[in-house]
Amino acid sequence: MTTFIEEVIVNLQEKGLNLSELKFILPSKRAGTFLKHQLSSLTAQTMFAPEILSIEDFVESISGLKTVSNTELLFQFYTTYITLNTEEHPDSFEVFSKWAQILLQDFNEIDRYLIPQEKIFDYLSAIQELKHWSVQAEQTEFVKNYLAFWNKLHAYYTHFTTHLLEHKLGYQGLVYRQADARVSEYIQEHNIQHVFLGFNALNTAEEAIIQHILEHTNALIYWDIDKTFYENPVHDAGLFTRQHAKNWKYFKTHPFNWITENYKTEKKINVIGVPKNIGQAKYIGNILRDLQTSENKLESTAIVLGNEDLLLPVLNSMPDFIERLNVTMGFPLKSIPLASLFESLFNLHKNNPKAFYYKDVISILSHQFIRPLFFENEKDEATKLIETIQTNNIVFLSCADLVALSESFKPVLTLLFGAWDNNASKALSCSKTLILALKNHLNEKKDEHVLSLEYTYRFHELFNELERLNTTYKYFQSISALHQVYKELLSSETLDFQGEPLQGLQIMGMLESRVLDFKTVIISSVNEGVLPAGKSNNSFIPLDVKLENNLPTFKEKDAVYTYHFYRLLQRAEQVYIIYNTEPDALAGGEKSRFITQLELENIHTLKHAIATPTVSLVEQKLKTVAKSPLVIQRLKEIAKRGFSPSSLTNYMRNPMDFYFQKVLKIQEYDEVEETVAANTLGTVVHNTLEDFYKPLVGKQLTEAHLTEMKSKISSTVLHHFEITYNKGDITTGKNLISFEIAKRYVLNFLNTELKEIKAGRIIKIIAIEADFKRVKINIPEFDFPVTIGGKVDRVDEYDGTTRIIDYKTGKVNQSQVEIIDWDALTTDYDKYSKPFQILCYAFMMQSSGTLKFPLEAGIISFKNLNGGFLKFTKKDKSGNGATKITAIDQETIQLFEAQLKVLILDIFNTEIDFLEKEISH
């Protein structure tokens, strides 16, 4: 394959020209690097390298102006806006920057296409006047201001450009307009032959400059267009070259070089649909594995990323054998971890809050750059701080709160969470100090943190630039305005990759492929909205005005992409076109029209395929754990200390949960309770009732007791919320509702008790929160002790009958405390866990000799107080007509004890593994 650059060099040599004395102008700097390389390999003798410039650098050298960054332009333009604005309340910089960006783009287009400025601005304001014509003579204030804006456009433009020219500065369009005015002067001063090569779409200023040089000097121009596109009047790849060949006077007397015939040569074109972006990246890695052979070292292979966000996934998908790689695009600074830290800090301080939301605080403390700052004597203070926040349910924290929790790290905490006071200077000072603190820490182990130090250096530069802008212009009136400019600067900054610019595999964006040719081309994201980019309307200039003034519209922009796409295919021998099969409204739509166009041309045979990842079916197997001697030893320790009724029902529900929680002692992760959890609410209600009833143990309940309790509900519930919910806020939102629910539960319960007393019932309190420890279970099969223990919420005497009562804040129905078959008691958690727990309490009291008959046991459900005392019931059958026995006697307890032994024997049986159960939630 002979590349376009090689063809040009050979042609120049055939003309007998001294290549050292030429000035080469190309569309991009990257193409210049390849040209220099080709020159060295195609010349036999040593020579001085010729001057090689990109079109932007060439035009800038003619104009005598220095191109200014977009951010700097925005500040310069705001100075113009403030100077010319006569309104009482002009837009703040933050508001201004949102519409000024678009206006600057329009100024740029108007200048690049050499449109007479006064004419187009007057035309635009006249259109707006017509739009707002009304039969009412008086215009509203809003319409007046709106039209005033359009009428001022020309004044803004004139003042702004005059100011820039005075300082020898310019944006791209102004540089081009100035260069066009000075091109004759440039020719007189520079007696050198120019060679223009590889151009396609040119703006009016570029056309005028190149034509002037061609007509008045011995300059040469080389186009790279294939006959297939050039001779087809409707093919967009040849749109611009056809126009240039037809409209330029130069070509009336000079040949049009070159129309080549490369496109129709045989090519292997593969069109592959891959789901999602990451899928495309992984598939590119697979293609490279297939391409790599002993002969093919991927020397003339390019990966062209339609969507440049795929850079990182593609780099991570590179096969290990690739030794030489060059990435022409930079790595976006916004994608590095340090960017997420400053984004979090800006979002944290943007609204100048008095206290910070705990998740934002934890996010910053957990950040990979911040966490090492909290290490002291190999202890991780950040983790300790996070655990304290979670344990105490602190939903909002101030800087002072954080310092109080970790006094030794006051400087770092103040740096991160000290108030920025909505002051840009303070924000910049804190950010720069933080960067220096990070740098000093990273310098301790410099060799391990080379990349991280590079990151901090680049952010130091970025904040220096922000500080310069703030000092020079003083337009940052808020953190929000600073954040906006920070994001603008960040999005344009990149870290350059070090690689072999001319050897091995090349990874590039679509625009960087200009003028370059490769044998194998892999193009990703060939979807509508990406390739081509599609319509975008970021302009104040309407479409009809653009057409009137020959300004580029979406039609021309699409034609630019069409040319680049087909030019990549022109000399290639093997092409892989990859598109995303899952259309996404934000990241590209259906497969590109370019693929359909290739099919309709019918010049090449396309090989279509859909690539989907091989997903191996992972069968979800329930876990099993064998009972090893160590596990049995641990179970014996638990048995000696005492099983609790809840741990035994946990085993019934899912043996694996019992294994994790009791044998391995793995506790659930303790998160901040932003809203009161059900178990917290239950604890508060239980503890409140304990406070009320504990002093009455051994006494008969009276109306006076209950009336006194009712007067203390609010203060007692609040007291227990403060203890249980730690520092959590219960004064607002859902927590306030939970607080009120807890009070209502207690009040409703006391009212139910009062109703019973008024009805003449005699209730005597026997025990409250009776704590039974190590109640022995007699199991002859074991030579070690097995005990059970737990707390009984309440034991009372109701008209002479002893009652064991378990409080539940959730809803329980009578059917949930009934059993039919004793053998099923320990097998079905959902049906029998509650009767099991109640009978455990009865067994413990019986064993400890504190039980009196007649006896009943049951549940009081706060969500079902109308159901009253839900008694444990033994039925002889299911359905209607069953005989129900609620009294618990010695026989009942003996039958329960037999089932309890069965369950414990099951737990210790080494032949029965801990088996995970499928639980429906």
Side-chain angles (χ1 to χ4, degrees), residues 123-134 139 146-147:
Y123 192 39
L124 284 171
S125 57
I127 288 170
Q128 299 307 321
E129 286 274 8
L130 275 174
K131 270 189 187 175
H132 289 87
W133 179 85
S134 170
Q139 289 176 334
Y146 181 76
L147 294 174

Side-chain angles (χ1 to χ4, degrees), residues 510-722:
M510 187 53 99
L511 291 178
E512 282 142 341
S513 70
R514 289 176 291 186
V515 190
L516 309 180
D517 296 295
F518 301 94
K519 280 184 184 174
T520 305
V521 178
I522 302 165
I523 312 173
S524 75
S525 306
V526 187
N527 287 73
E528 286 296 318
V530 182
L531 281 177
K535 292 182 186 179
S536 61
N537 194 25
N538 281 350
S539 174
F540 285 122
I541 305 170
L543 182 65
D544 55 336
V545 180
K546 285 191 172 188
L547 292 168
E548 171 81 18
N549 289 278
N550 292 323
L551 283 168
T553 63
F554 62 89
K555 161 80 174 159
E556 282 72 28
K557 284 172 186 168
D558 280 359
V560 171
Y561 278 101
T562 310
Y563 174 79
H564 293 320
F565 177 79
Y566 275 97
R567 218 207 68 77
L568 275 169
L569 272 57
Q570 238 171 257
R571 292 176 184 79
E573 294 167 11
Q574 199 163 7
V575 181
Y576 294 89
I577 297 168
I578 305 171
Y579 66 93
N580 184 354
T581 57
E582 308 295 311
D584 183 338
L586 297 173
E590 61 190 2
K591 73 176 177 182
S592 173
R593 69 192 79 165
F594 294 160
I595 297 171
T596 312
Q597 200 169 328
L598 285 170
E599 290 169 345
L600 294 173
E601 283 171 2
N602 208 18
I603 294 169
H604 301 288
T605 305
L606 307 187
K607 189 178 173 187
H608 287 273
I610 297 290
T612 50
T614 49
V615 181
S616 52
L617 187 65
V618 180
E619 195 182 337
Q620 285 288 356
K621 286 186 178 175
L622 295 173
K623 297 187 193 87
T624 57
V625 174
K627 291 172 186 168
S628 65
L630 272 174
V631 170
I632 295 295
Q633 184 56 42
R634 176 81 188 105
L635 287 170
K636 284 179 183 177
E637 289 169 20
I638 297 165
K640 188 180 177 184
R641 207 168 55 245
F643 289 107
S644 67
S646 59
S647 69
L648 293 172
T649 54
N650 201 16
Y651 180 83
M652 287 158 54
R653 179 176 176 267
N654 188 359
M656 197 53 73
D657 285 348
F658 174 87
Y659 172 72
F660 285 138
Q661 289 171 20
K662 290 292 171 188
V663 179
L664 298 183
K665 298 183 184 177
I666 296 172
Q667 299 303 315
E668 283 189 13
Y669 179 63
D670 197 12
E671 286 188 0
V672 171
E673 265 185 54
E674 285 183 64
T675 53
V676 176
N679 58 344
T680 305
L681 184 69
T683 306
V684 169
V685 172
H686 272 72
N687 293 349
T688 302
L689 291 176
E690 183 185 352
D691 276 10
F692 284 166
Y693 282 91
K694 198 99 178 182
L696 302 178
V697 171
K699 295 179 184 176
Q700 187 177 324
L701 198 59
T702 65
E703 282 187 44
H705 289 141
L706 292 164
T707 308
E708 189 188 349
M709 288 178 199
K710 283 168 75 172
S711 68
K712 294 178 180 175
I713 290 174
S714 194
S715 58
T716 313
V717 169
L718 179 62
H719 168 70
H720 284 294
F721 254 116
E722 284 170 352

Side-chain angles (χ1 to χ4, degrees), residues 639 643 776-787 897 900-905 908:
F643 289 107
K776 194 175 178 190
I777 304 167
N778 186 26
I779 303 176
E781 291 89 337
F782 292 162
D783 59 356
F784 54 86
V786 177
T787 62
E897 189 179 359
L900 181 61
K901 285 178 183 176
V902 169
L903 181 65
I904 288 168
L905 285 166
F908 279 92

Side-chain angles (χ1 to χ4, degrees), residues 43 108 117 122 129 259 311 315 348 467 526 565 569 574 604 732 749 768 816 827 896:
T43 48
N108 194 36
Q117 305 94 317
D122 288 350
E129 286 274 8
I259 298 166
L311 176 60
L315 288 175
L348 190 78
E467 194 166 51
V526 187
F565 177 79
L569 272 57
Q574 199 163 7
H604 301 288
T732 57
F749 175 68
I768 295 292
Q816 290 173 278
T827 58
F896 168 72

Side-chain angles (χ1 to χ4, degrees), residues 35 104 113 178 191 216 371 512 533 623 662 716 834:
L35 173 62
L104 284 172
Y113 285 83
Q178 200 66 10
N191 183 23
H216 295 87
R371 202 160 200 142
E512 282 142 341
K623 297 187 193 87
K662 290 292 171 188
T716 313
K834 289 177 177 67

Side-chain angles (χ1 to χ4, degrees), residues 59-60 62-68 73 104-114 117 157-182 203 205 209:
V59 171
E60 191 174 309
I62 298 173
S63 70
L65 302 179
K66 182 176 178 287
T67 306
V68 186
L73 280 173
L104 284 172
Q105 283 175 27
D106 287 341
F107 286 176
N108 194 36
E109 290 287 85
I110 287 164
D111 282 337
R112 288 187 336 136
Y113 285 83
L114 306 179
Q117 305 94 317
Y157 173 85
T158 309
H159 185 280
F160 179 50
T161 51
T162 306
H163 170 75
L164 289 174
L165 291 169
E166 282 170 5
H167 292 84
K168 294 267 186 266
L169 301 172
Y171 49 88
Q172 193 193 48
L174 189 60
V175 167
Y176 275 55
R177 194 186 276 275
Q178 200 66 10
D180 177 57
R182 294 195 64 233
N203 59 52
I209 292 164

Side-chain angles (χ1 to χ4, degrees), residues 715-737:
S715 58
T716 313
V717 169
L718 179 62
H719 168 70
H720 284 294
F721 254 116
E722 284 170 352
I723 295 169
T724 312
Y725 197 46
N726 295 320
K727 297 179 182 178
D729 180 20
I730 56 162
T731 58
T732 57
K734 287 182 181 177
N735 290 348
L736 179 60
I737 295 170

